């Protein structure tokens, strides 16, 4: 693997790790809010969050590019706060990744929160546990498997993205040049051997990660069957 | 003395209530022991308990507990459930499945506002020594409910609410839990509100009884007096008519296998022998006799195998209130300052030509006297009531 590819790998992992942390911090309250929402408006929010699943990444990338432009409100605000533009920056691709991978984190968490019986939370309340205490002592351990699934899917999806990064990040080594773009570059330059190395690495890594996710779910389902 | 003032005027539609349900209660409960809450399904027992616990938020009215306002909808005061220091044992144990029995108990102890109870003492008291390392899924329903009770106690509530805690248990575990509840109440002195649709359970545990029907309080007072009133007057609450008594143990007659209870200075009642260790001489026990188990004679029954017979005067004559009992008559007979109830057929009533103030003899078998320890008979009663 050449140095440029190692830098791309490092950028990819950094982007995926930061995005996953933000996704969990943002996705958990969002999923909790949706799981407990009684109003019919809920479906509109669910549809908005699910959009990246069916939308071509270039469409999301195009609108983000407009939103991130230095002349846009968001772009100007970011420029004033940080002193650097948002478009074609590492921060930009992290924001793009978070939006793009949001449904992969929110949906499993929302399902888990919906299935979690309110009975346990009431019991904890009657023992004097306050809301945050209840979340960390009851909700989190009881939905641990769903958090692992959500984090893994969010991470893997971020590693694998291409369209949005290309639209809003460009191809700046050490900044926005991630593995998927590096592969594209190698193919364009007819460097099939390098492309093959990176592609196979990604393929194996993704396969291993997904197998681990399904294994944790398999164990959970079997444990529940035995418990019954 | 714990004092609970409840003034509830209405409840909006919530998950726990149907569309037209209204809770209209204006009641003061003062007790340091167990107060039973009795009523048919849909009478508002569970909703009342959840409201007191703070789990129902859509409620109008006022709740004051030991001088502290927990709810005042006019002044928009609502103390959150976790801040009320009220415990609740639910119908199902609700043990946290990701924690072991020991961890479930520690969970409550850590969050207790006082933290004065010893974990080991409570484990011993609730007989959980052999279960602490187990997971909740490995326990039987009776064991789970015992852990739930221990967990609720370890939170050291000022008031413990029990919402039909025995309903999911088999007969053996019901008796065990009832005995445990009484022991805990006596040792730790926690005031309890105990909801049940089984009068037998409440008769054995509660000192006072609050009776609910359609979201309103229809009776409140001493358990024996309330049961007496339910026997005689009520049409909206149907119970198995019975004589409810608290009597002291006079002696245990090992030769004949009988325990003698002191009714007054001259007269005694006999029931099958109770274990002397649990029931020492002088100890007061709760017992009840179904009216259908008590018969009437006009002459003293000297030559009868039936061990209990008392002389009395008819003070109450009640024609059947419902269709099911239309061929029977309920008599209230005063004997030794107690009112005993006898349910006889309309035919016998006419044949004996019974009237108000008639002097009669009542008789019933030793086995007709039901107590908590007399488990076989209580099993039968609880089963009978559950199936009603």
């Amino acid at each position: 693997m050449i140095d440029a590819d190692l830098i791309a790998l490092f950028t990819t992992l950094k982007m995926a790790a930061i995005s996953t942390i933000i996704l969990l911090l943002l996705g958990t309250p969002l999923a909790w809010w949706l799981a407990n929402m009684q109003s019919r408006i809920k479906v509109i929010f669910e549809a908005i969050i699910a959009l990246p699943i069916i939308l071509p990444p270039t469409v999301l990338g195009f609108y983000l590019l407009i939103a991130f432009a230095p002349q846009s409100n968001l772009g100007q605000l970011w420029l004033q706060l940080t002193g650097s533009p948002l478009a074609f920056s590492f921060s930009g691709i992290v924001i793009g990744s978070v939006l793009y991978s949001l449904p992969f984190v929110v949906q499993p968490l929302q399902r888990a929160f919906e299935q979690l019986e309110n009975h346990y939370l009431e019991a904890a309340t009657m023992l004097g546990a306050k809301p945050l205490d209840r979340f960390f002592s009851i909700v989190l351990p009881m939905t641990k498997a769903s958090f692992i699934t959500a984090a893994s899917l969010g991470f893997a999806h971020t590693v694998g993205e291409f369209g949005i990064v290309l639209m809003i990040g460009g191809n700046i080594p050490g900044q926005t040049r991630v593995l998927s773009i590096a592969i594209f570059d190698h193919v364009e330059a007819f460097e099939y051997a390098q492309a093959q190395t990176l592609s196979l690495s990604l393929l194996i890594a993704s396969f291993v990660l997904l197998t681990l996710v399904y294994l944790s779910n398999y164990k959970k389902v079997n444990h529940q069957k035995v418990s019954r | 003395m714990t004092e609970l003032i409840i003034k509830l005027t209405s409840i909006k539609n919530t998950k726990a209530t149907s569309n037209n349900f209204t809770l209209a209660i204006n009641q003061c409960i003062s007790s340091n022991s167990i107060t039973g809450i009795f009523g048919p399904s849909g009478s508002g027992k569970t909703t009342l308990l959840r409201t007191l616990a703070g789990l129902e938020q859509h409620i109008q009215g006022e709740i004051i507990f030991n001088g502290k306002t927990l709810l005042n909808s006019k002044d928009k005061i609502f103390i959150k459930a976790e801040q009320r220091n009220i415990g609740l044992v639910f119908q199902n144990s609700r043990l946290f499945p990701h924690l072991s029995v020991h961890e479930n108990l520690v969970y409550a102890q850590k969050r207790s506002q006082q933290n004065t109870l010893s974990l080991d003492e409570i484990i011993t008291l609730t007989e959980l020594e052999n279960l602490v390392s187990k997971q909740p899924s490995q326990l039987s329903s009776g064991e789970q409910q015992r852990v739930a009770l221990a967990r609720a106690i370890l939170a050291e509530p000022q008031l413990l609410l029990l919402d039909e805690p025995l309903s999911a248990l088999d007969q053996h575990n019901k008796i065990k839990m009832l005995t445990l509840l009484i022991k805990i109440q006596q040792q730790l002195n926690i005031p309890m509100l105990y909801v049940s649709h089984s009068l037998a359970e409440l008769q054995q545990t509660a000192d006072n009884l609050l009776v609910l029907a359609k979201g309103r309080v229809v009776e409140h007072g001493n358990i024996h007096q309330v049961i007496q009133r339910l026997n005689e007057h009520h049409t909206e609450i149907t119970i198995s008519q019975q004589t409810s008594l608290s009597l002291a143990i006079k002696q245990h007659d090992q030769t004949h296998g009988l325990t003698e209870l002191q009714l007054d200075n001259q007269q005694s009642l006999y029931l099958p022998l109770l274990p002397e260790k649990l029931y020492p001489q002088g100890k007061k026990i709760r017992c009840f006799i179904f009216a259908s188990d008590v018969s009437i004679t006009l002459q003293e029954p000297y030559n009868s195998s039936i061990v209990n017979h008392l002389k009395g005067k008819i003070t109450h004559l009640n024609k059947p209130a419902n269709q099911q009992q239309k061929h029977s008559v309920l008599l209230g007979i005063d004997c030794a300052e107690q009112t005993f109830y006898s349910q006889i057929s309309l035919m016998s009533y006419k044949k004996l030509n019974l009237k108000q103030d008639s002097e009669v003899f009542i008789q019933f078998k030793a086995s007709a006297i039901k107590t908590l320890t007399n488990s076989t008979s209580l099993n039968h009663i609880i089963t009978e009531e559950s199936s009603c």
Side-chain angles (χ1 to χ4, degrees), chain B residues 1-4 28-36 65-66 158-159 185 189-193 206-209 220:
Chain B
M1 181 71 79
T2 297
E3 191 182 60
L4 181 65
C28 177
I29 301 170
S30 299
S31 170
N32 261 350
S33 54
I34 302 177
T35 300
F65 176 55
N66 284 345
Q158 289 180 308
L159 174 69
Q185 208 289 318
N189 213 18
I190 307 173
M192 298 182 185
L193 285 186
D207 288 339
N208 293 302
L209 191 63
H220 178 231

Side-chain angles (χ1 to χ4, degrees), chain B residues 257-376:
Chain B
L258 292 171
T259 292
E260 188 178 348
L261 303 177
Q262 186 154 18
L263 188 60
D264 63 7
N265 288 337
Q266 284 93 41
Q267 300 179 89
S268 295
L269 295 183
Y270 297 89
L271 75 161
L273 190 67
L274 297 174
E276 199 168 350
K277 265 190 183 177
L278 292 172
Y279 295 91
Q281 204 174 336
K283 181 177 175 157
K284 270 200 164 184
I285 63 158
R286 297 274 178 86
C287 56
F288 60 97
I289 309 147
F290 281 130
S292 53
D293 287 340
V294 178
S295 65
I296 302 281
T297 66
L298 296 178
Q299 278 88 42
E300 188 161 9
Y302 290 115
N303 303 317
S304 169
S305 65
I306 295 175
V307 292
N308 296 303
H309 56 89
L310 302 164
K311 189 181 180 184
K313 189 193 272 186
I314 296 175
T315 53
H316 177 83
L317 257 169
N318 207 8
K319 295 285 169 56
N322 58 43
Q323 276 299 105
Q324 286 172 330
Q325 298 172 340
K326 65 179 179 180
H327 298 303
S328 67
V329 177
L330 181 77
L331 304 172
I333 303 114
D334 276 6
C335 312
E337 295 178 2
Q338 300 278 2
T339 305
F340 286 77
Y341 290 91
S342 170
Q343 190 183 23
I344 58 169
S345 67
L346 196 58
M347 189 174 84
S348 301
Y349 169 70
K350 284 178 180 167
K351 192 172 96 184
L352 297 176
N353 192 24
L354 299 173
K355 292 194 170 50
Q356 189 88 14
D357 295 330
S358 295
E359 288 206 337
V360 292
F361 290 89
I362 61 168
Q363 56 176 1
F364 46 92
K365 287 185 164 190
S367 59
I369 303 180
K370 321 289 186 195
T371 68
L372 184 58
T373 313
N374 194 351
S375 57
T376 332

Side-chain angles (χ1 to χ4, degrees), chain A residues 126-127, chain B residues 85 87-89 105 108-109 112 114-118 121-123 125-126 145-158 160 162 180-181 183-185 188 190 192:
Chain A
M126 294 316 297
L127 297 170
Chain B
N85 205 9
L88 177 54
V89 178
L105 299 177
Q109 197 190 30
S112 158
Q114 288 88 35
N115 208 349
T116 54
L117 288 179
S118 148
E121 276 177 32
I122 298 302
I123 288 172
L125 183 68
T126 46
Q145 219 40 346
R146 260 175 30 233
V147 177
L149 181 62
R151 188 177 68 172
I153 293 163
L154 279 163
E156 297 186 51
Q158 289 180 308
L160 183 60
L162 301 136
L180 185 63
L181 259 182
K183 190 166 86 174
I184 286 170
Q185 208 289 318
L188 304 177
I190 307 173
M192 298 182 185

Side-chain angles (χ1 to χ4, degrees), chain B residues 207-218:
Chain B
D207 288 339
N208 293 302
L209 191 63
L210 185 87
V211 183
L212 285 180
K214 295 173 189 164
R216 291 175 300 109
V217 175
V218 291

Side-chain angles (χ1 to χ4, degrees), chain A residues 38 117-131 133-134 137-138 141-142 227, chain B residues 50 53 55 81-83 86-88 90 92 94-98 107-108 111 137 151-152 155:
Chain A
Q38 303 289 329
E117 287 190 55
N118 194 37
H119 286 180
Y120 296 117
L121 295 178
E122 283 188 351
T125 305
M126 294 316 297
L127 297 170
K130 296 190 171 95
D133 182 8
R134 294 200 289 270
S137 63
I138 307 295
M142 286 184 74
S227 300
Chain B
R50 289 178 61 85
L55 296 175
E82 62 266 28
Q83 292 165 353
I86 291 177
L88 177 54
F90 300 89
N92 46 0
R94 302 193 186 185
L95 298 181
F96 306 133
H98 59 290
Y107 188 96
R111 286 156 183 84
S137 57
R151 188 177 68 172

